């Protein structure tokens, strides 16, 4: 199963039929609830039973919002999929939802939210679905306006599925450049199934980073697939122990026959239909914009290979 963000733009992938199927899945509901609870835990609100006003980025059909409501908070959700939002309205969720592309920012007044959560959404900003899309500019617009609409010192917890280490660093560094403090928290880093990535940020001075979970016996480990939720599919991004990345991330090196390697080659071998060198170069540029490592250009790029016996 491929990652949805590499299949089609979110507004088309999550149509009415997909929204209904997604929301009806008991497994998806359970995992969305757990991830939302963990995101709230990372926000670290005082235990004073005071309801908070939260922004839910990529709210979809309101599954994460349902859990926020159950835990006593008020929320506003934003999503680009009209199919998902229509289903949220049909379900009569407690929060207000509206349609918007977060790559253009979040249009709210300054300092209105006590915090922000997001479950499996911000990796979509790394896509270049249209010719005018620049992932770095979209990330900057999103994080800068999110920072603006938060109260001073408010926190964000963005759960997401990075495709590789470079993409994770691009997302995290984009947030830090606009004024956020914080970084990545990786729960269960040594587990393939249970591993979850959270970008935990504060709109203000640096705060102490929360501790990642390491007990693989946790409920996350009961997931039946490597990656679940709106990230979809199996996550082929893995860590290695030999890395010196700023965020402690590494990419597994490509080996012959290794199905989990993330070095992607785009050329006549992958596209035997022969769409031409210009098409191949365009695709390679799109992949680089997403933060994916592709083969270097050469005189052989886009050249049709001879058939072999």
């Amino acid at each position: 199963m491929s990652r949805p963000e590499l299949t089609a733009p979110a507004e088309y992938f999550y149509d009415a039929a997909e929204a209904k199927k997604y929301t009806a899945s008991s497994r998806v509901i359970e995992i969305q609830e757990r991830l939302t609870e963990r995101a709230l835990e990372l926000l670290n609100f005082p235990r004073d039973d005071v309801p908070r006003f939260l922004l839910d980025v990529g709210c979809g059909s309101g599954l994460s919002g349902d859990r926020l409501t159950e835990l006593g908070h008020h929320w506003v959700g934003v999503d680009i999929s009209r199919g998902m939002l229509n289903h949220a309205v049909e379900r009569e969720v407690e929060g207000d939802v509206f349609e918007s592309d977060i790559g253009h920012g979040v249009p709210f007044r300054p300092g209105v939210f006590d915090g922000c959560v997001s479950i499996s959404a911000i990796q979509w900003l790394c896509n270049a679905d249209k010719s005018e899309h620049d992932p770095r500019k979209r990330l900057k617009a999103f994080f800068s306006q999110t920072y603006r609409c938060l109260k001073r010192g408010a926190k964000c917890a963005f759960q997401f599925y990075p495709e590789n280490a470079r993409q994770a660093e691009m997302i995290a560094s984009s947030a830090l450049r606009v004024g956020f403090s914080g970084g990545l928290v990786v729960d269960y880093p040594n587990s393939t199934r249970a591993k979850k990535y959270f970008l935990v940020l504060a709109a203000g001075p640096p705060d102490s980073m929360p501790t990642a979970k390491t007990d693989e016996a946790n409920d996350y480990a009961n997931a039946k697939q490597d990656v679940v939720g709106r990230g979809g599919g199996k996550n082929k991004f893995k860590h290695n122990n030999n890395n010196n990345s700023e965020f402690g991330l590494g990419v597994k090196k490509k080996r012959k026959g290794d199905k989990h390697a993330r070095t992607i080659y785009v050329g006549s071998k992958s596209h035997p239909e022969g769409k031409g060198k210009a098409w191949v170069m365009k695709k390679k540029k799109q992949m680089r914009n997403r933060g994916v490592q592709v083969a270097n250009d050469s005189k052989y790029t886009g050249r049709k290979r001879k058939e072999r016996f």
Side-chain angles (χ1 to χ4, degrees), residues 214-272:
T214 57
D215 181 9
E216 296 181 15
N218 184 272
D219 290 341
Y220 282 145
N222 295 325
K224 296 181 180 179
Q225 295 186 2
D226 291 7
V227 172
V228 289
R230 293 188 67 185
K234 290 189 175 182
N235 192 351
K236 298 181 181 179
F237 167 53
K238 293 181 176 291
H239 287 269
N240 61 21
N241 294 324
N242 301 319
N243 65 80
N244 54 8
S245 167
E246 177 184 358
F247 300 99
L249 300 175
V251 179
K252 188 175 183 180
K253 294 183 179 179
K254 184 176 178 65
R255 297 193 299 267
K256 187 175 182 180
D258 189 348
K259 296 181 179 180
H260 295 292
R262 291 307 300 156
T263 302
I264 296 178
Y265 294 89
V266 182
S268 55
K269 184 176 181 181
S270 301
H271 304 279

Side-chain angles (χ1 to χ4, degrees), residues 100-122:
S100 181
D101 180 0
I102 61 173
H104 297 157
V106 285
F108 296 103
R109 288 182 298 144
V112 296
F113 292 106
D114 299 308
C116 177
V117 298
S118 179
I119 307 300
S120 184
I122 63 172

Side-chain angles (χ1 to χ4, degrees), residues 64-204:
S64 52
D66 287 343
R67 190 59 184 146
L68 294 177
T69 299
E70 291 171 359
L71 294 173
H73 300 292
H74 307 296
W75 58 278
V76 170
V78 56
D79 201 286
I80 196 173
S81 169
R82 184 170 298 182
M84 282 286 200
L85 295 177
N86 286 340
H87 201 55
V89 173
E90 291 174 4
R91 295 176 56 245
E92 298 183 349
V93 296
E94 293 294 328
D96 293 324
V97 298
F98 73 97
E99 181 182 355
S100 181
D101 180 0
I102 61 173
H104 297 157
V106 285
F108 296 103
R109 288 182 298 144
V112 296
F113 292 106
D114 299 308
C116 177
V117 298
S118 179
I119 307 300
S120 184
I122 63 172
Q123 71 267 11
W124 289 86
L125 290 170
C126 297
N127 284 13
D129 297 318
K130 299 179 181 179
S131 59
E132 67 270 19
H133 281 182
D134 183 331
R136 294 186 184 278
K137 291 181 179 179
R138 289 170 62 77
L139 285 166
K140 180 180 179 181
F142 167 67
F143 283 121
S144 60
Q145 291 202 26
T146 300
Y147 185 97
R148 179 174 174 268
C149 72
L150 292 171
K151 293 180 179 178
R152 181 69 171 173
K155 291 184 179 180
C156 306
F158 301 106
Q159 183 273 326
F160 69 110
Y161 296 110
E163 189 173 9
N164 51 45
R166 183 181 298 179
Q167 187 179 96
E169 290 190 21
M170 179 173 69
I171 293 173
S173 61
S174 296
L176 299 180
R177 285 193 188 101
V178 303
F180 278 111
S181 60
L184 284 175
V185 174
V186 184
D187 285 350
Y188 318 113
N190 298 319
S191 172
T192 300
R193 292 187 176 185
K195 188 186 300 180
K196 292 293 180 290
Y197 300 83
F198 292 86
L199 181 59
V200 183
L201 306 170

Side-chain angles (χ1 to χ4, degrees), residues 272-283:
E273 62 271 23
K275 294 186 178 180
K277 184 174 182 178
W279 183 87
V280 173
M281 297 296 288
K282 177 182 177 182
K283 287 296 180 182

Side-chain angles (χ1 to χ4, degrees), residues 25-43:
S25 171
S26 59
R27 182 176 63 87
V28 170
I29 294 173
E30 180 182 2
I31 294 169
Q32 284 274 347
E33 289 180 350
R34 290 174 181 166
L35 292 174
T36 304
E37 290 171 1
R38 176 57 174 154
L40 277 176
E41 181 182 344
L42 292 171
L43 293 183

